[in-house]
Amino acid sequence: MRVALFITCVNDTLFPGTGRAVVTLLRRLGCDVEFPRAQTCCGQMHVNTGYPEEGRRLARHFVDVFAGYDAVVAPSGSCAAMVREQYPRLARTPAVPPAAPASAARTSAAPVPATASAARTSTGPAPAGSGSPGGLITGTVEAPAGDAPGSFAAEVAEVAPKVYDLSEFLVDVLGVTDVGAYFPHRVTYHPTCHSMRILRVGDRPTRLLEQVRGLELVPLPEADQCCGFGGTFAVKNPAISAAMCADKVRNVTTTGAEVLCAADNSCLMHIGGTLKRQRTGVRIMHLAEILAATEATR
């Protein structure tokens, strides 16, 4: 099976080890994994903050980059949900022409990298093997020249259903829950909002964790409550966000867990900051990193 890794901005910039863990895990399970370096941001923050046209440009680029793969796997329920749920809506909505020449000039200028890491590494070395993430996104997005009627929608309909959160791909596509992992630690799991409420991954992540040898999985009180991150929500509403995170951290510490696991590093980064400031000693780890761990790697 030819699988593409969709690394996402947060992971490419701040958590490249998560991307490497996904590659390690999927190759161990027999997948032919590739890392398309032309990939960029999926456009989630643009659409969610009122810039649908900028988001549409990124969506067009995404379907071009990831067309032809059997599956596209993302270590982020949030970004996978953006592609599966928002892209079809963007494709159905007529594009809005630029309102003024200044706007048109801005969109027709030289292509701009869609992530900070793209700008940083556009001339960097090629990844090892077929591609190993870590600040290696090099894609740029051109202003669209226009689509034939229905062509963008057809492309989205072809690509979007093949985009999976990691746990979905493992359980539903590969049909596995025991991935041969070993992680002898006490772990609690936080179900992130997009993976739980939009993708509806349900118990797939915990079913995978339950099969990890040596791992003790302990339930997280009020697990379904948001951690308070919410992307730009944490920036626009810092006091509310911090209060929500404090509640989440209090529940994490009552479990006695050594490690807090989740499927989105953005949420883990948010919770992890408070865990560290309170000197709880609880580590954060992405689901992929735990599932990639074996006795040989410890």
Side-chain angles (χ1 to χ4, degrees):
M1 177 177 288
R2 187 167 172 251
V3 178
L5 169 63
F6 168 36
I7 184 64
T8 79
C9 299
V10 167
N11 290 318
D12 177 62
T13 307
L14 300 173
F15 300 96
T18 296
R20 288 191 288 268
V22 174
V23 173
T24 296
L25 174 62
L26 295 184
R27 285 179 175 168
R28 191 168 77 211
L29 296 173
C31 295
D32 178 13
V33 186
E34 298 180 21
F35 179 68
R37 292 184 66 188
Q39 62 184 281
T40 62
C41 176
C42 67
Q44 179 181 183
M45 67 178 179
H46 306 73
V47 172
N48 289 349
T49 50
Y51 296 91
E53 291 310 307
E54 287 79 358
R56 193 191 313 274
R57 285 176 58 195
L58 291 164
R60 285 192 178 100
H61 183 72
F62 184 99
V63 297
D64 287 343
V65 169
F66 289 102
Y69 288 98
D70 298 317
V72 179
V73 177
S76 168
S78 177
C79 295
M82 170 65 189
V83 176
R84 292 232 304 263
E85 296 296 316
Q86 294 282 15
Y87 277 18
R89 296 173 186 170
L90 285 174
R92 291 194 301 267
T93 305
V96 178
S103 173
R106 192 165 60 245
T107 58
S108 61
V112 177
T115 67
S117 62
R120 192 175 63 247
T121 63
S122 59
T123 58
S130 64
S132 165
L136 289 172
I137 289 178
T138 60
T140 57
V141 182
E142 302 280 357
D147 296 304
S151 64
F152 179 40
E155 291 165 0
V156 167
E158 175 66 23
V159 174
K162 299 178 182 178
V163 176
Y164 300 94
D165 160 82
L166 176 63
S167 68
E168 291 180 306
F169 182 73
L170 294 173
V171 176
D172 298 345
V173 180
L174 297 187
V176 298
T177 53
D178 186 346
V179 298
Y182 173 74
F183 191 76
H185 298 282
R186 186 179 175 93
V187 176
T188 193
Y189 178 77
H190 166 61
T192 60
C193 291
H194 283 87
S195 64
M196 176 173 57
R197 295 182 170 90
I198 299 179
L199 292 182
R200 301 183 185 278
V201 301
D203 65 350
R204 292 173 182 85
T206 54
R207 286 164 61 191
L208 289 160
L209 290 170
E210 286 167 352
Q211 297 300 314
V212 175
R213 288 182 298 115
L215 186 148
E216 179 187 358
L217 182 62
V218 292
L220 177 64
E222 299 181 343
D224 63 344
Q225 298 301 302
C226 177
C227 71
F229 179 64
T232 56
F233 175 85
V235 177
K236 295 177 180 178
N237 304 278
I240 298 173
S241 173
M244 295 171 72
C245 191
D247 289 343
K248 180 63 65 175
V249 165
R250 183 173 59 253
N251 286 322
V252 170
T253 56
T254 63
T255 66
E258 302 168 69
V259 176
L260 171 66
C261 172
D264 278 271
N265 273 327
S266 53
C267 297
L268 282 174
M269 176 177 63
H270 183 62
I271 304 169
T274 300
L275 287 168
K276 185 175 182 179
R277 284 190 294 273
Q278 293 186 7
R279 300 181 180 179
T280 63
V282 180
R283 292 185 290 151
I284 57 169
M285 286 188 72
H286 193 280
L287 176 66
E289 296 172 81
I290 292 178
L291 297 179
T294 63
E295 291 181 85
T297 60
R298 297 200 56 76

